[in-house]
Amino acid sequence: MRPALLNPLFASLASLRGIGTKQTRTFARLLKPDHGSSRDDPRVMDLLWHIPTGILDRRRQPVIADLAASGIVTVDVSVTRHIPSTTPRAPYRVECRDETGTLNLIFFNPPIDYLTKALPVGARRYISGEVSWFSGAPQIVHPDYIVAAEDFAQLPLVEPVYPLTFGLYPKILRKAMAAALAIMPDLPEWQDWHWLKQQGWPGAVSALKSLHAPQCEADLDPENPARARLAYDELLAGQLALALMRRHLKKSAGRVIRGTGRLRQAIIAKLPFELTEAQKDAIDDILRDMEARERMGRLLQGDVGSGKTIVALIALAAAVEAGFQGVLMAPTELLARQHFNTLTPYCGAACIGLEILTGRETGKSRRAIVEKITDGRAQIIIGTHALFQNDVVFADPGLIVIDEQHRFGVHQRLALRNKAAGGADMLVMTATPIPRTLQLTLYGDMDISHLREKPGHRPRIETRILAFSRLDDVVQGLARALDDGARAYWVCPLVMASENSDLTAVEARYAALSRHFPGRVGLLHGRMKGAEKDKVMEMFCQGEITILVATTVVEVGVDVPEATIMVIENAERFGLAQLHQLRGRVGRGLLASSCLLLYQGPLGENARKRLKIMRESDDGFVIAEQDLRLRGAGEILGARQSGMPVFRIADPGRAHASLLAAARNDCGLILARDPELVSERGQALRILLYLFERDEAVRTLTAG
Ligand code: ADP
Ligand code: MG
């Protein structure tokens, strides 16, 4: 149970004074916490982790004669007269003076009552806002602050600037932040005080408060003491959580799973190819772990197209040979179906009972499948999140494989592992290579196998970058390729085509391409019904349609070896990891393949670099390292699209890399001295774990 002291921080934002339910929804858009499932109802803590990216400095207080051409100032003036608008379009003007000149305050459609009260003629006022000039005279349009001389203290001379979202005004955000900071409880110190002193770091609460009250640019630096302190807290919480989970996993007795090899032989005999050395090595790692008495926690990392599925199948078959069930979890319905289709002939050949359960199975058929899962007739079970519903009880799962685990996030992964009764072995697979520097923060609790070599003699994918203005050429080129029998994906980002139509970009492109290539184009996006999606995928697999216009639903794992062309529209909007995943949908067979990255200019500096990296490399590891360099870990891991766990404060790939190493050592020392976290510091560390939402890790500890 989370300590009561933290409860106010994990209450809904609506619990804050002055924040209504409607505003909560706007905040939800801004905060988009990615811990576990998405949250429509952000909590106070989600807001507190939203830290400023800039400052507004109102400390400049020139006299009117010294006003510069622009910039934010605070001026001390007397109100001389009000000049109401003469036409509806003209602004309302309030003329002010000091000894050196005249300054106009400009208001469009102002509430007149308010203005006459706030700026009575003859009164002295401090005005703060952005200076501009009109017909040779200085003015401030819609001042940010108007305060009486005696209220000067209320005028914030330095204000934090926060990233905002549509419909959220800075004042509202700052007000909410002030309310959130006001309910921040005192927290016990969980860091070693020698270390704090040596680093010159403040306490956690005062660090958080000072992050929200930057006084100068240097206060925004990730390496400033307040930020570094909290980053270290976060990294330490992460390391502790991983260490505790790992310990728990190792302690919880696994089972010896030693297959006979019979089913595996039947499967291997049916493979149309030889396993690569990399695949064989990975299979050896996995089988060795399964045979061991300890519970397996292994990550299988392999770039897109490296052949992870078959490795998983062999491991699952080994579990079945030993009399257990094997479970394969996929992040999407589409992928679950595809795995089902891939595995069906092999399971048929080996006489393995194969079942699939997703959100789509309902009613009677679902009940029948659940029954087979429970009584053990289902030996290999493929599914989505639907598998983790309460009434799905496995007979005896020996191995759980989670495909494309980056789609699930660390928290879900840990939760899944806890749910797996009886100490099932866990194999997680990912095609998103993790830069070496970050592996430990993410997978410190796992052993890792790599599939470095790609199977077959895969042709390199030729990647070209083209301006969107060349669309006609692209379509003509596509027409020639299709005439030669090619199949193509055309991916569009999820954006509205225009404000007054609800056609999305992908639907518009589908319509346009259908006019060019009647009867040959299919459409695939996330809002379609499952059966419709299947049908389109099936038609594309069979070549009945030859262009598949899609959103990023094709990003993960879709495997159609005959597809050789990937067109990505608005490629500048995608992140590197995603571009690499998308491109990995082609070049999967023997045929030369190409990827066209269409961009809409002008390109920003980073977008240009991203596209260049894509053109120059098709090695997922190289791309991941470059991505880390371009964006920093917080971004990479935090971005929704990658589904990786978010670092709220820490940037372990760049600014806080050395802190990560320190946190790792610290973690080792802490657990050696106080393995159950029962000392005074241990208790405080539990609070730290809850603060960073590592609840599962705390739950592995005995009560105390
Ligand atoms: P990923 O690692 O991206 O999940 P898949 O498991 O989908 O990759 O495999 C990609 C493609 O490579 C599939 O069409 C699969 O049949 C094929 N493949 C897998 N292993 C081999 C191999 N050893 N030799 C040739 N082709 C293989
Ligand atoms: Mg795969």
Side-chain angles (χ1 to χ4, degrees):
M1 274 265 289
R2 181 192 296 136
L5 135 120
L6 294 178
N7 285 347
L9 298 179
F10 288 93
S12 159
L13 265 192
S15 69
L16 291 177
R17 190 186 299 262
I19 305 287
T21 8
K22 200 166 143 239
Q23 272 169 353
T24 334
R25 254 170 274 141
T26 317
F27 276 104
R29 225 182 307 134
L30 177 71
L31 302 173
K32 288 193 230 119
D34 206 39
H35 281 243
S37 58
S38 67
R39 199 183 292 281
D40 294 332
D41 183 18
R43 301 147 314 167
V44 174
M45 208 57 224
D46 298 320
L47 180 64
L48 286 170
W49 292 133
H50 188 65
I51 58 173
T53 49
I55 54 172
L56 265 185
D57 191 345
R58 307 186 180 285
R59 283 176 295 200
R60 270 200 306 146
Q61 296 182 43
V63 293
I64 292 175
D66 290 344
L67 284 174
S70 64
I72 290 187
V73 290
T74 300
V75 278
D76 176 4
V77 297
S78 299
V79 180
T80 43
R81 64 183 169 132
H82 282 230
I83 308 159
S85 356
T86 43
T87 65
R89 286 275 206 66
Y92 188 103
R93 215 147 51 88
V94 178
E95 191 189 77
C96 304
R97 280 177 177 285
D98 65 7
E99 297 87 74
T100 68
T102 306
L103 171 71
N104 288 312
L105 308 183
I106 305 293
F107 301 89
F108 291 89
N109 291 318
I112 311 281
D113 277 2
Y114 161 75
L115 282 191
T116 37
K117 255 190 233 133
L119 294 162
V121 172
R124 190 174 150 214
R125 289 290 182 264
Y126 282 95
I127 311 289
S128 189
E130 172 89 32
V131 185
S132 55
W133 290 71
F134 185 74
S135 303
Q139 59 178 24
I140 294 181
V141 181
H142 289 202
D144 301 327
Y145 291 94
I146 301 172
V147 301
E150 58 272 24
D151 295 331
F152 182 73
Q154 288 170 19
L155 203 162
L157 287 179
V158 181
E159 278 185 309
V161 175
Y162 293 97
L164 293 169
T165 183
F166 178 74
L168 185 62
Y169 298 99
K171 271 194 182 158
I172 297 185
L173 178 57
R174 287 196 205 107
K175 205 174 94 193
M177 199 63 82
L181 287 167
I183 62 161
M184 186 81 203
D186 263 339
L187 300 173
E189 184 54 71
W190 43 73
Q191 298 295 2
D192 177 62
W193 70 270
H194 285 291
W195 168 244
L196 286 184
K197 213 167 135 201
Q198 186 193 332
Q199 298 291 319
W201 286 346
V205 174
S206 71
L208 189 60
K209 289 188 170 161
S210 77
L211 276 194
H212 286 291
Q215 293 302 306
C216 56
E217 291 290 333
D219 288 347
L220 301 166
D221 191 300
E223 279 156 77
N224 82 64
R227 177 86 181 270
R229 147 89 215 214
L230 292 171
Y232 188 75
D233 283 342
E234 183 168 34
L235 294 170
L236 182 62
Q239 291 299 302
L240 276 173
L242 288 171
L244 291 172
M245 296 303 298
R246 185 186 178 94
R247 192 179 70 187
H248 182 65
L249 181 81
K250 297 272 170 189
K251 254 200 312 207
S252 60
R255 289 177 298 190
V256 174
I257 301 180
R258 184 179 290 123
T260 56
R262 190 173 53 85
L263 303 177
R264 274 172 280 159
Q265 270 157 24
I267 290 167
I268 290 171
K270 206 171 157 54
L271 288 177
F273 46 71
E274 285 277 309
L275 292 173
T276 64
E277 288 308 310
Q279 284 170 320
K280 286 183 194 159
D281 288 347
I283 290 170
D284 286 347
D285 286 345
I286 294 164
L287 295 181
R288 202 176 335 104
D289 283 2
M290 287 170 69
E291 284 179 19
R293 191 159 290 284
E294 288 186 327
R295 196 173 171 188
M296 170 167 83
R298 182 169 287 277
L299 170 72
L300 176 59
Q301 214 181 63
D303 209 350
V304 284
S306 60
K308 294 184 291 295
T309 315
I310 200 69
V311 174
L313 173 60
I314 302 276
L316 291 164
V320 175
E321 286 167 8
F324 297 101
Q325 282 173 313
V327 181
L328 174 56
M329 274 275 290
T332 64
E333 168 104 38
L334 194 68
L335 206 53
R337 299 266 154 217
Q338 182 183 288
H339 282 325
F340 183 74
N341 293 338
T342 309
L343 266 50
T344 296
Y346 298 112
C347 289
C351 292
I352 297 173
L354 176 69
E355 295 293 336
I356 180 165
L357 186 75
T358 69
R360 206 184 317 155
E361 281 71 37
T362 52
K364 243 193 180 149
S365 72
R366 180 174 187 279
R367 271 198 299 281
I369 295 167
V370 171
E371 206 169 281
K372 284 191 206 165
I373 293 176
T374 306
D375 69 20
R377 271 177 295 159
Q379 293 172 296
I380 293 184
I381 300 124
I382 297 177
T384 56
H385 292 88
L387 284 178
F388 288 87
Q389 281 157 0
N390 284 337
D391 67 325
V392 181
V393 181
F394 293 95
D396 201 359
L399 172 67
I400 298 183
V401 181
I402 304 179
D403 192 19
E404 306 297 350
Q405 92 82 28
H406 64 281
R407 280 300 178 103
F408 292 99
V410 156
H411 289 265
Q412 275 164 307
R413 169 161 60 86
L414 297 181
L416 288 182
R417 186 196 279 178
N418 280 357
K419 263 186 202 146
D425 284 336
M426 301 282 293
L427 174 66
V428 303
M429 309 199 289
T430 183
T432 303
I434 296 110
R436 224 161 292 117
T437 28
L438 293 183
Q439 271 174 8
L440 238 121
T441 56
L442 295 173
Y443 296 109
D445 60 333
M446 302 223 126
D447 300 309
I448 302 183
S449 299
H450 287 288
L451 293 181
R452 290 203 187 275
E453 168 197 3
K454 282 199 192 175
H457 299 280
R458 299 273 168 81
R460 206 188 122 88
I461 305 167
E462 188 190 312
T463 300
R464 274 185 296 156
I465 302 172
L466 284 175
F468 188 74
S469 54
R470 304 267 309 270
L471 185 67
D472 287 344
D473 298 343
V474 174
V475 172
Q476 274 171 31
L478 193 59
R480 282 192 297 275
L482 293 181
D483 286 343
D484 291 342
R487 256 175 263 175
Y489 295 98
W490 189 301
V491 176
C492 302
L494 263 183
V495 286
M496 295 302 187
S498 79
E499 279 182 24
N500 42 18
S501 114
D502 59 358
L503 259 192
T504 59
V506 70
E507 283 167 324
R509 182 59 57 215
Y510 169 69
L513 287 173
S514 295
R515 280 194 294 278
H516 260 281
F517 306 103
R520 291 154 80 183
V521 191
L523 174 64
L524 188 70
H525 60 67
R527 275 177 301 158
M528 284 162 53
K529 292 236 171 55
E532 292 175 81
K533 280 195 247 178
D534 280 359
K535 187 155 163 262
V536 175
M537 253 345 270
E538 184 59 25
M539 287 171 74
F540 187 61
C541 281
Q542 299 304 327
E544 288 160 36
I545 51 174
T546 46
I547 307 176
L548 187 61
V549 180
T551 55
T552 52
V553 290
V554 298
E555 172 197 351
V556 160
V558 170
D559 185 29
V560 181
E562 294 84 0
T564 54
I565 300 172
M566 167 63 69
V567 182
I568 304 175
E569 197 170 323
N570 286 116
E572 77 282 0
R573 297 189 190 202
F574 292 96
L576 269 176
Q578 208 172 14
L579 288 173
H580 180 63
Q581 281 281 339
L582 286 168
R583 183 172 57 184
R585 299 305 111 216
V586 296
R588 298 173 78 85
L590 298 170
L591 301 169
S593 297
S594 59
C595 174
L596 297 182
L597 303 174
L598 292 181
Y599 68 88
Q600 218 133 22
L603 280 182
E605 174 72 8
N606 262 0
R608 186 183 307 278
K609 283 191 190 146
R610 282 200 299 275
L611 297 183
K612 186 161 166 275
I613 292 167
M614 284 299 292
R615 189 177 55 209
E616 286 168 3
S617 176
D618 65 351
D619 179 330
F621 283 89
V622 173
I623 291 175
E625 295 285 350
Q626 298 278 4
D627 203 15
L628 179 64
R629 210 158 301 153
L630 275 186
R631 293 195 299 163
E635 277 279 316
I636 292 191
L637 304 175
R640 254 297 158 89
Q641 39 172 291
S642 78
M644 294 280 205
V646 186
F647 284 95
R648 307 281 201 170
I649 296 289
D651 185 359
R654 293 192 301 194
H656 304 130
S658 62
L659 293 183
L660 175 59
R664 196 181 309 157
N665 288 338
D666 203 2
C667 169
L669 284 177
I670 290 167
L671 291 181
R673 281 194 208 131
D674 182 13
E676 295 298 327
L677 300 184
V678 288
S679 67
E680 196 182 330
R681 184 176 179 207
Q683 297 288 351
L685 284 162
R686 290 177 181 225
I687 293 178
L688 169 69
L689 287 166
Y690 280 113
L691 189 67
F692 284 100
E693 296 175 65
R694 312 290 182 161
D695 302 29
E696 301 92 341
V698 192
R699 265 184 243 118
T700 69
L701 295 167
T702 52

